[in-house]
Amino acid sequence: MDKKKVVIIGGVAGGATTAARLRRLNENIEIIIMEKGDYISYANCGLPYYIGDVIKEREALLLQTPQAMKQRFNIDVRTGNEVLSIDRKEKTVKVKRASDGSEYVESYDNLVISTGSTPIVPPIEGIKGEGIFTLWNIPDTDKIKNYITEKKPKTAAVIGGGFIGLEMAENLKEAGCSVSIIEMQDQVMAPVDYEMAQLVHENIRMNGVELILSDGVQKFENISEPTGNKTRITLSSGKAVDAEIVILSIGIKPNSGLAKEAGLELNQRGGIIVDEYLKTSDENIYAVGDVIEVTEFIEKGKTMIPLAGPANKQARICAGNIAAGFGILDKSTEGIYEGTQGTSVAKVFDFTVAATGLNEKTLIRMGRKANEDYFVAIINQKSHAGYYPGSAPITLKMLFSPEGKIFGAQIVGVDGVDKRIDVIATAIRLGAKAADLQKLELAYAPPYSSAKDPVNMLGFVAENILKGVVRFVPWDGLEKRDELAIKMGVPAVTVLDVTESFERMAFAVEDSVHIPFGQVRDRMQELDRENLIVTFCAIGVRSYNVARILMNSGFKHVAVYPAGTGFYKSAFHDKLFPKKWQAGIEFTPEAEKVLSKENGDVEGGSKVDINNIVITKDLDCSGLQCPGPIMRVFNSINEIEEGQIIKVAATDMGFSRDIESWCNRTGNTLVKTCREGKQNIVYIQKGSSDNNKKSQGVSGNGITELPQGKTLIVFSGDLDKVLASFIIANGAAAMGRPVTMFFTFWGLNALRKTEKQRVKKPLMDSMFGMMMPRGTSKLKLSNMNMGGMGTRMMRKVMNDKNVDSLEDLMKKAMENGVRIVACTMSMDVMGITREELVDGIEFAGVAAYLGDAEQSNVNLFV
């Protein structure tokens, strides 16, 4: 056999791996690597960490040198040699030497194109200005590193929220810069879906990085200041961001210019089209890595996935196929590249974000419909046994077909994310079904996992979904209740919060009904069976159990909100807490009254040095299942003296926000919040200023001594009595007191709509409706009504003396946050349906009213 020659254009993952594999298969093949740069094999994924000084030595990034490749593999590595063109007919390439500019022609038997990709630099005004960089190779890294060393920038902007952009943001932050991330799309990390990206957004902001989404760059301009030059970045919204260093991470494009000029077949994105053997449209030319179009493994569509792992695997297969073509290996041993799952993982500050397979965005683009063509399982689990120190939440999302085929998965969390995504990626590759995940026997010890690993839990949930044991609402279902009700064919959606009362002090979903888990069996009659009941708790366990109780009790429309409060708060953190926890370390407004940098006296408390806070108790609540942290804080506050401070550590991302609400409700002071490693740290001082204590009724044990709420039972349907009720309610609300008005029997008539509603009812119910007054305009005085004349006189006098009408009082009450509750039992007795009552009211039973009454120090019966 004649000696064969293989020329490889490009090094790094694809080219260098192809060359090394070929040499291992045969000693006689002539192998030449043409690389226009100075480096053939380096760890490009490690470049941001070298800039951030996490990787200390530059040489650690260089995996192979030309000299080592020659010595170890007898491979002719020609750095500084740029291939200018390919002559397919003559099977040659034209090469230019960087050293002297001379050109030469090199022949080949097989050519491998591994030219990779390059960063996109769009034609934006000023984009080539000073201090603006891309990061893709060693020379880029050296430029950025030298710039940071020499200029010592204090402000940085990263344009783009992909892998490199986020890694650079983190490392620039580590380098001491104040960092802004600017992303034109509505999320970072395109491989994950929006709701999962929201967890990442929250973590980025909690680490003190400004995150600007849905805003593109219009122009860059250099700004000269006495302290040095800056780049002013003007965005589409008109907002301007100034930065001393700018990193472009907008995207990448395949380096397929040579292939295009040679007439090889390309796709619309410029990717080289190859067959399953990685052969291009020319039988003598192969291609691997970022430059090629690949088969997507799940549904066998075509895509481009620029990842190092697939590139290495393609290179190995390519080398084997070239060897088989030369007769070195049997032809039957040719390898087929079966496709790419796009399995990826990234470190984003103290979070790990991972994905494999298809995301939901892709399924929707493919025309698939949720709960028909695919199902979604989202769960909140612990990284390892909750009782072992250091346990942290991880959120897992899996997509699967009605037949159980796993389409893809995404995981976000602090620890244990990488191994879970690897297990699911392996299951997908080997054809396992979603429910098969429950069968996996995974290693367990308290420091590493739980007896039921999160991957097993995904399997349990998937099986329950497929068997109809549980139904989940979409992650944004609580924000779209009307749409959800229409889709489910029910009158309305009832959000049933099954947490404990002290959890509600920290956070409660708007317009939710509260029945603690332990009371559900005794109080389920308070729920309307015609509505869709969506159960809701901290992480989803109690809500699932309650859903089963209701379903087993005959409720036909029951669903669970996935992953509970923690997930909900993170998914909507920018709307629920738009100005909270954006700065990494924050001293709360109340803390300004309590802390003094001069170590002065604290109003109503002890001396506190803001920079040297004296801790009375140090609580580590990391890994505790919610509501564990709140319970421990509650108990610990009772054990310390007024003015003393406890420090609490928790891994729950929402803990800092919850504890602020809890402190406000209990009369204690949230002094400071910060992020230390993987933990959220809060400092709480027992008690607050004297003025606050007087207003909140705080006792010596730090808990509200007297309940401050007001409750009114509106039994009467008389105009004057209902008027008095709303006047009292509005007065109490104006004083900042929580107010509940419970309308029962004749009082319900005040809540009826004036217009007759088309509702099918039994004859007796219809007769009741005809005889009773319909709405506030039909109510009469309890005395001196005089056939309606007295009522009309009363309304005129109120108008003349600028007294609000009953209708206005009711509207103001709703605007002031007064809870207007209709007694469901009385409604049933009197034949009144929900459709007949005004919008904006709640529906509940006696037990719900009594719960509010227990929190009140005034209770009136009108």
Side-chain angles (χ1 to χ4, degrees), residues 104-119:
Y104 66 96
V105 174
E106 189 71 53
S107 64
Y108 64 81
D109 291 299
N110 277 144
L111 182 68
V112 179
I113 301 176
S114 179
T115 46
S117 54
T118 53

Side-chain angles (χ1 to χ4, degrees), residues 165-438:
L166 296 184
E167 289 166 354
M168 276 304 303
E170 177 181 351
N171 283 282
L172 287 168
K173 180 75 174 175
E174 285 293 319
C177 289
S178 174
V179 181
S180 299
I181 298 173
I182 301 167
E183 169 56 57
M184 187 168 63
Q185 304 301 320
D186 63 356
Q187 68 166 86
V188 302
M189 295 294 289
V192 303
D193 290 313
Y194 177 79
E195 71 273 21
M196 299 295 282
Q198 277 286 76
L199 278 65
V200 184
H201 299 162
E202 178 185 41
N203 189 47
I204 289 171
R205 288 165 171 149
M206 288 188 72
N207 276 280
V209 171
E210 181 184 27
L211 180 60
I212 302 171
L213 298 172
S214 301
D215 211 351
V217 177
Q218 290 291 91
K219 67 176 179 178
F220 300 93
E221 56 184 323
N222 186 266
I223 305 295
S224 297
E225 296 184 352
T227 56
N229 290 345
K230 290 183 178 181
T231 298
R232 176 156 296 166
I233 307 162
T234 303
L235 305 181
S236 301
S237 64
K239 178 182 174 69
V241 177
D242 290 349
E244 295 164 74
I245 182 171
V246 178
I247 305 296
L248 303 178
S249 180
I250 297 171
I252 60 172
K253 59 183 179 181
N255 289 329
S256 57
L258 279 173
K260 182 179 181 179
E261 291 173 7
L264 296 178
E265 190 177 354
L266 307 181
N267 67 11
Q268 290 182 340
R269 296 170 60 185
I272 301 174
I273 295 175
V274 297
D275 63 14
E276 66 267 33
Y277 301 103
L278 299 166
K279 190 178 292 184
T280 69
S281 53
D282 186 317
E283 63 177 10
N284 298 306
I285 302 177
Y286 293 79
V288 297
D290 293 4
V291 76
I292 70 170
E293 175 188 84
V294 296
T295 299
E296 177 272 307
F297 180 76
I298 309 296
E299 294 291 87
K300 309 306 179 187
K302 296 299 182 180
T303 186
M304 297 187 71
I305 301 178
L307 293 171
N312 275 280
K313 295 172 181 65
Q314 293 158 15
R316 178 181 174 86
I317 293 170
C318 178
N321 292 343
I322 291 172
F326 289 160
I328 296 167
L329 296 178
D330 189 281
K331 188 72 174 175
S332 64
T333 63
E334 281 188 304
I336 293 176
Y337 187 66
E338 296 180 349
T340 301
Q341 291 170 235
T343 304
S344 59
V345 65
K347 179 180 182 293
V348 185
F349 293 95
D350 35 19
F351 260 20
T352 301
V353 187
T356 187
L358 302 177
N359 56 33
E360 193 169 6
K361 292 176 292 189
T362 302
L363 290 175
I364 292 171
R365 282 198 300 268
M366 294 167 65
R368 309 292 176 85
K369 295 182 179 179
N371 297 319
E372 294 181 23
D373 304 310
Y374 69 90
F375 293 103
V376 181
I378 301 177
I379 62 173
N380 188 324
Q381 294 290 298
K382 293 293 183 183
S383 56
H384 59 253
Y387 55 82
Y388 188 88
S391 175
I394 58 174
T395 303
L396 303 91
K397 175 178 182 177
M398 184 171 68
L399 303 155
F400 53 98
S401 74
E403 295 74 36
K405 178 181 179 179
I406 304 174
F407 288 131
Q410 302 153 42
I411 310 179
V412 177
V414 174
D415 283 323
V417 169
D418 53 341
K419 69 176 181 178
R420 271 66 186 229
I421 205 69
D422 285 344
V423 170
I424 299 171
T426 303
I428 291 174
R429 181 64 64 161
L430 298 180
K433 301 291 187 181
D436 290 335
L437 298 181
Q438 65 185 311

Side-chain angles (χ1 to χ4, degrees), residues 566-577:
F567 176 68
Y568 177 81
K569 289 183 293 186
S570 293
F572 293 98
H573 74 276
D574 49 348
K575 296 178 181 178
L576 294 171
F577 316 100

Side-chain angles (χ1 to χ4, degrees), residues 537-839:
C537 72
I539 63 172
V541 175
R542 286 173 289 177
S543 53
Y544 168 65
N545 284 313
V546 169
R548 291 306 306 158
I549 291 172
L550 295 176
M551 293 171 74
N552 289 331
S553 300
F555 282 76
K556 295 181 179 179
H557 310 295
V558 182
V560 176
Y561 183 81
T565 307
F567 176 68
Y568 177 81
K569 289 183 293 186
S570 293
F572 293 98
H573 74 276
D574 49 348
K575 296 178 181 178
L576 294 171
F577 316 100
K579 296 182 180 179
K580 297 292 182 183
W581 326 115
Q582 305 283 305
I585 296 177
E586 182 169 324
F587 295 97
T588 64
E590 178 63 16
E592 298 300 327
K593 304 174 185 177
V594 178
L595 300 179
S596 169
K597 290 183 180 180
E598 289 73 32
N599 203 27
D601 290 332
V602 177
E603 184 183 0
S606 59
K607 291 182 179 180
V608 179
D609 180 353
I610 208 167
N611 298 308
N612 186 28
I613 299 174
V614 178
I615 307 302
T616 305
K617 295 196 71 171
D618 195 336
L619 302 179
D620 185 0
C621 298
S622 299
L624 286 184
Q625 294 279 11
C626 187
I630 293 286
M631 290 181 65
R632 286 199 63 185
V633 170
F634 180 87
N635 293 331
S636 298
I637 282 289
N638 287 333
E639 297 170 359
I640 64 174
E641 300 297 325
E642 184 84 5
Q644 293 182 332
I645 293 176
I646 64 173
K647 174 185 176 183
V648 189
T651 47
D652 177 13
M653 289 296 291
F655 176 70
S656 299
R657 295 187 301 259
D658 289 348
I659 208 66
E660 182 190 31
S661 298
W662 183 88
C663 286
N664 289 339
R665 294 289 296 273
T666 58
N668 298 293
T669 302
L670 177 58
V671 172
K672 173 184 173 183
T673 72
C674 60
R675 189 98 166 131
E676 293 181 5
K678 299 175 181 179
Q679 295 180 319
N680 296 297
I681 308 297
V682 300
Y683 297 82
I684 306 167
Q685 185 180 48
K686 181 169 182 173
S688 59
S689 69
D690 289 338
N691 291 336
N692 270 354
K693 282 190 281 185
K694 290 174 183 177
S695 68
Q696 296 184 31
V698 176
S699 69
N701 65 5
I703 307 301
T704 305
E705 188 173 45
L706 292 174
Q708 297 296 305
K710 318 297 178 187
T711 52
L712 295 88
I713 302 175
V714 185
F715 175 86
S716 173
D718 295 327
L719 173 63
D720 44 346
K721 295 179 181 177
V722 177
L723 270 171
S725 301
F726 274 104
I727 290 170
I728 295 169
N730 279 319
M735 294 175 64
R737 302 295 187 252
V739 181
T740 298
M741 301 179 73
F742 189 77
F743 285 77
T744 183
F745 284 97
W746 312 116
L748 290 169
N749 291 319
L751 303 182
R752 294 182 73 190
K753 295 176 180 175
T754 304
E755 309 80 19
K756 186 175 181 180
Q757 304 298 306
R758 294 182 175 274
V759 181
K760 289 186 178 181
K761 296 194 293 186
L763 177 61
M764 189 69 72
D765 292 354
S766 298
M767 291 177 65
F768 258 100
M770 292 172 61
M771 291 187 290
M772 292 187 298
R774 188 183 298 122
T776 54
S777 63
K778 302 295 183 181
L779 300 185
K780 300 176 181 178
L781 293 176
S782 59
N783 291 295
M784 296 177 59
N785 183 53
M786 297 181 293
M789 184 181 298
T791 303
R792 289 191 292 272
M793 290 173 62
M794 173 67 76
R795 290 183 180 276
K796 185 179 187 307
V797 169
M798 290 172 61
N799 182 65
D800 292 343
K801 297 188 177 181
N802 294 318
V803 177
D804 285 334
S805 67
L806 176 54
E807 291 76 14
D808 288 336
L809 287 170
M810 183 181 295
K811 182 179 179 181
K812 286 184 178 180
M814 290 181 175
E815 292 173 347
N816 291 335
V818 173
R819 293 183 63 207
I820 300 177
V821 182
C823 174
T824 51
M825 183 275 291
S826 298
M827 288 172 60
D828 190 50
V829 170
M830 302 181 73
I832 297 175
T833 66
R834 294 187 178 215
E835 292 80 5
E836 294 177 274
L837 300 187
V838 296
D839 298 329

Side-chain angles (χ1 to χ4, degrees), residues 5-23 29-41 64-70 73-83 93 95 104 106-107 110-115:
K5 182 193 288 187
V6 176
V7 174
I8 301 170
I9 307 175
V12 197
T17 301
T18 301
R21 173 67 171 164
L22 265 176
R23 177 58 71 226
I29 300 175
E30 183 180 355
I31 305 170
I32 303 171
I33 296 179
M34 301 287 188
E35 171 58 55
K36 69 177 181 179
D38 296 327
Y39 306 93
I40 60 153
S41 184
Q64 284 286 0
T65 64
Q67 296 77 18
M69 288 290 280
K70 180 65 176 176
F73 298 103
N74 190 27
I75 293 170
D76 183 2
V77 179
R78 303 179 187 177
T79 56
N81 279 245
E82 180 183 2
V83 175
V93 293
V95 187
Y104 66 96
E106 189 71 53
S107 64
N110 277 144
L111 182 68
V112 179
I113 301 176
S114 179
T115 46

